[in-house]
Amino acid sequence: GLNGLEVCQQIRAEERSKNIPIVFVSALANDSERLAGYDAGGDDYVTKPFDEDELLHKIKLQIANQEQKKILQSNLVEAKSTLMTTIASSSELSSVILFLRESSNCLTIENLAEACFATLKELEIDGCLYINAFIKNEFFYSRGTENIDDINYIGKNYKKERVITDGKK
């Protein structure tokens, strides 16, 4: 008991079917009737009598459009993910840049260690720091307590890398 416009509106109202392409095939051919089809949610409109090749071409176009929409949707999801990663990285980079700026004003290695640990705290990283200075070499700990395992690990590896990590967060 429904007409094509009402069926189209119901299809569009359902979450699972709202993106299905709809091509009206109708004997109603005047402008207001075609526009009503588009307003109801139709994607295209073919009037009767119709050419089979034209209808087939329009259906193929709708299928191609659906595939493009899926690609665009996937690209949008990827772009949002990239944006969120960039924002997070930007925040982390800002913390590091701020540390570099502040470190140039440190007068003691203790001040330098404090600035380093303030930055690590912002980045939610714990650790220890070994500063090899001309006057003295010193260990510092983000938790404030000495850890013999950290001392031994850095003692064995500090010449190999500038930053040493055990892979734990």
Side-chain angles (χ1 to χ4, degrees):
L2 301 175
N3 67 32
L5 298 176
E6 293 166 332
V7 171
C8 182
Q9 290 169 337
Q10 284 186 355
I11 290 171
R12 291 291 183 242
E14 293 290 325
E15 185 64 32
R16 63 189 168 102
S17 62
K18 72 179 183 180
N19 293 317
I20 293 173
I22 298 173
V23 178
F24 280 97
V25 178
S26 176
L28 304 174
N30 69 39
D31 290 345
S32 65
E33 291 161 336
R34 283 196 325 267
L35 290 175
Y38 292 122
D39 288 341
D43 295 295
D44 210 337
Y45 202 99
V46 177
T47 58
K48 294 180 185 176
F50 62 89
D51 179 69
E52 274 185 40
D53 290 336
E54 178 186 9
L55 179 59
L56 186 58
H57 183 74
K58 288 188 176 215
I59 291 170
K60 286 179 181 178
L61 282 174
Q62 289 305 317
I63 291 170
N65 285 343
Q66 284 300 103
E67 289 172 5
Q68 283 296 329
K69 283 180 185 179
K70 286 178 184 175
I71 290 169
L72 290 172
Q73 186 64 33
S74 174
N75 289 347
L76 178 62
V77 168
E78 188 177 329
K80 284 181 180 179
S81 174
T82 301
L83 175 63
M84 296 310 293
T85 300
T86 301
I87 289 170
S89 296
S90 172
S91 175
E92 292 170 357
L93 184 60
S94 294
S95 295
V96 172
I97 290 171
L98 183 60
F99 164 73
L100 291 173
R101 230 182 259 149
E102 290 177 7
S103 68
S104 66
N105 296 323
C106 293
L107 299 176
T108 67
I109 59 174
E110 290 80 12
N111 294 142
L112 181 60
E114 287 172 17
C116 181
F117 288 131
T119 302
L120 291 177
K121 185 176 182 178
E122 286 179 26
L123 299 173
E124 299 178 359
I125 298 172
D126 283 327
C128 68
L129 176 64
Y130 175 68
I131 297 180
N132 185 352
F134 293 113
I135 300 169
K136 61 181 175 177
N137 303 331
E138 202 161 336
F139 283 94
F140 298 91
Y141 307 90
S142 61
R143 293 188 205 129
T145 58
E146 183 175 308
N147 182 329
I148 194 67
D149 291 334
D150 290 339
I151 293 171
N152 290 335
Y153 187 80
I154 290 177
K156 290 177 187 174
N157 296 292
Y158 84 93
K159 290 184 180 181
K160 297 177 186 173
E161 299 180 41
R162 301 292 250 172
V163 176
I164 303 169
T165 178
D166 65 0
K168 296 178 186 174
K169 187 160 182 158

